[in-house]
Amino acid sequence: MQTEILGINEKSLNLAKNIILSGRTVVFPTETVYGLGANAYDEFAVESIFNIKGRPNDNPLIAHVHKDYDISELVSYVPEYAKKLAKAFLPGPLTMVYKSRGTVCPAVSCGLDTLAIRIPSHNGAQSFLRKVGVPIAAPSANISKHVSPTSAEHVYNDLKGRVELILDGGSCSGGIESTVLDCTGDVPIILRSGLISREMIEDKIGVCRVHSPKAGERVLSPGMKYRHYTPDCATMLCADVEEALKAYEELTDKEYVYFMCEDGAARKLCGKNILNLGKTDIEIAANLYAKLREGEKKARLIIGILPEMRDGIMAGVINRFIKACGN
Ligand code: AMP
Ligand code: MG
């Protein structure tokens, strides 16, 4: 299969609509990462997403809709706190999990009685979702377990020959995936941290829990139990520059060793190979996946040095950083 990359315009959107309504998949940009989308009402199309990515079939997908879509068609109950959060943060990188009406096909939620809904703010995503008119089931547009894609080129590298059309909306500004928030109970629970932080949610509605399952406990968000964001080279995780340098001194093949770290640490490592994530939390989030993909092309080993910032969106960044560089 030939894979086309097209800018977003009336012509490419019409083509995307034809492909989606014929039961096939289209890759589209969002403000977080690129998504591999299929019509959420079409069982066969949704199942093909799992095959294209090699995604485990118990890891549910998010249903994406445009900002004027009436989600009461899809879910049975939206609590008051969720309405407040939707008003504050949508369209944007917040996925909300509700009790499903069962109108989309069961493969979207992998048989769960809940449905995750996302309204992306990216203009290209909005145009695509409005054009197709149906909810679009989509995970990130990468081979399962590999680093999530934040550009059309990243998607092409993973999925060429497996998808017909990649809508190119440039580099994703957010860089890490949406926050997944369970809104089925009295208090919302963060199932996956992301660009809408616990602090931002608490600021709007007072209370928000974070799901952190202990060993052996049931994982509420099935995706969190799998290895993710793995670059195609060896990795090592270090807590700080000192630890990283100590490990580095013991290595022989230093030419192909890269340090992935925030700007402050990079300055202390001058002269070494660096994948610089930037200075601010927003920069670090936006650069993480692109730097992992850049690194895997030239490094035999990436030594990840954990950023010092831990609050707000850095909770989500650190979580991915550890999954990418840890074991
Ligand atoms: P991805 O689109 O690849 O970033 O993955 C979507 C994430 O949303 C995964 O972590 C899923 O486990 C989670 N998710 C999707 N639907 C549900 C749901 N109904 N309940 C809980 N988590 C969900
Ligand atoms: Mg993913």
Side-chain angles (χ1 to χ4, degrees):
M1 178 192 297
Q2 189 88 7
T3 301
E4 256 195 305
I5 304 181
L6 297 177
I8 301 178
N9 51 42
E10 221 23 53
K11 197 167 165 220
S12 62
L13 288 171
N14 281 327
L15 177 61
K17 179 178 178 179
N18 282 339
I19 295 174
I20 290 290
L21 297 184
S22 310
R24 305 192 307 278
T25 59
V26 167
V27 174
F28 63 102
T30 78
E31 69 280 19
T32 58
V33 302
Y34 275 70
L36 170 61
N39 180 354
Y41 291 125
D42 184 332
E43 186 87 18
F44 185 79
V46 172
E47 276 168 6
S48 76
I49 288 178
F50 292 85
N51 297 332
I52 290 169
K53 284 193 60 151
R55 184 176 175 99
N57 62 7
D58 65 347
N59 188 5
L61 308 178
I62 296 170
H64 294 67
V65 295
H66 64 75
K67 64 182 164 52
D68 299 317
Y69 195 94
D70 179 8
I71 65 162
S72 68
E73 277 179 29
L74 306 176
V75 301
S76 55
Y77 177 61
V78 177
E80 278 310 310
Y81 68 77
K83 288 181 188 157
K84 273 194 200 160
L85 293 174
K87 198 159 174 239
F89 298 119
L90 300 185
L94 177 65
T95 295
M96 300 167 94
V97 176
Y98 299 110
K99 281 277 173 243
S100 177
R101 268 195 198 284
T103 41
V104 298
C105 62
V108 176
S109 295
C110 299
L112 297 173
D113 62 0
T114 52
L115 180 66
I117 301 212
R118 171 151 147 66
I119 304 176
S121 62
H122 189 289
N123 285 338
Q126 280 292 322
S127 306
F128 166 65
L129 293 166
R130 204 176 282 279
K131 175 63 83 178
V132 296
V134 291
I136 293 292
S140 50
N142 52 282
I143 294 290
S144 191
K145 300 185 182 60
H146 193 212
V147 182
S148 300
T150 55
S151 73
E153 188 197 340
H154 294 163
V155 178
Y156 187 79
N157 287 339
D158 273 27
L159 299 183
K160 64 175 168 296
R162 297 183 189 217
V163 294
E164 281 162 72
L165 175 60
I166 301 171
L167 292 173
D168 187 350
S171 289
C172 305
S173 57
I176 60 167
E177 296 86 345
S178 60
T179 304
V180 178
L181 190 70
D182 182 322
C183 297
T184 59
D186 295 340
V187 171
I189 307 172
I190 293 181
L191 303 180
R192 175 177 74 185
S193 49
L195 293 169
I196 303 294
S197 66
R198 178 187 198 162
E199 291 86 342
M200 289 161 76
I201 293 171
E202 285 184 336
D203 186 51
K204 296 291 170 204
I205 57 163
V207 56
C208 169
R209 286 178 29 218
V210 178
H211 179 57
S212 47
K214 310 207 171 44
E217 219 181 316
R218 191 171 74 92
V219 179
L220 291 180
S221 184
M224 297 309 281
K225 69 181 182 234
Y226 292 108
R227 184 138 165 69
H228 275 312
Y229 323 119
T230 334
D232 192 16
C233 65
T235 56
M236 184 190 278
L237 184 65
C238 291
D240 51 39
V241 172
E242 290 65 39
E243 191 185 322
L245 278 174
K246 204 162 157 237
Y248 180 78
E249 290 316 322
E250 285 162 22
L251 299 170
T252 45
D253 211 1
K254 293 192 172 56
E255 192 187 337
Y256 298 105
V257 177
Y258 281 73
F259 294 89
M260 186 177 74
C261 55
E262 61 190 332
D263 189 66
R267 285 162 195 274
K268 296 184 195 161
L269 291 165
C270 70
K272 310 273 191 305
N273 296 322
I274 302 287
L275 300 163
N276 191 332
L277 295 171
K279 282 188 190 144
T280 65
D281 51 357
I282 290 172
E283 276 171 23
I284 296 171
N287 289 331
L288 179 65
Y289 293 148
K291 289 293 167 187
L292 282 165
R293 282 185 179 256
E294 183 189 326
E296 71 181 357
K297 283 198 189 137
K298 47 195 190 187
R300 292 205 185 126
L301 171 68
I302 296 176
I303 302 182
I305 306 176
L306 279 174
E308 280 176 19
M309 287 177 281
R310 296 291 149 91
D311 295 341
I313 65 167
M314 287 307 287
V317 174
I318 297 286
N319 170 295
R320 274 110 174 145
F321 199 106
I322 292 171
K323 284 194 177 181
C325 296
N327 294 307

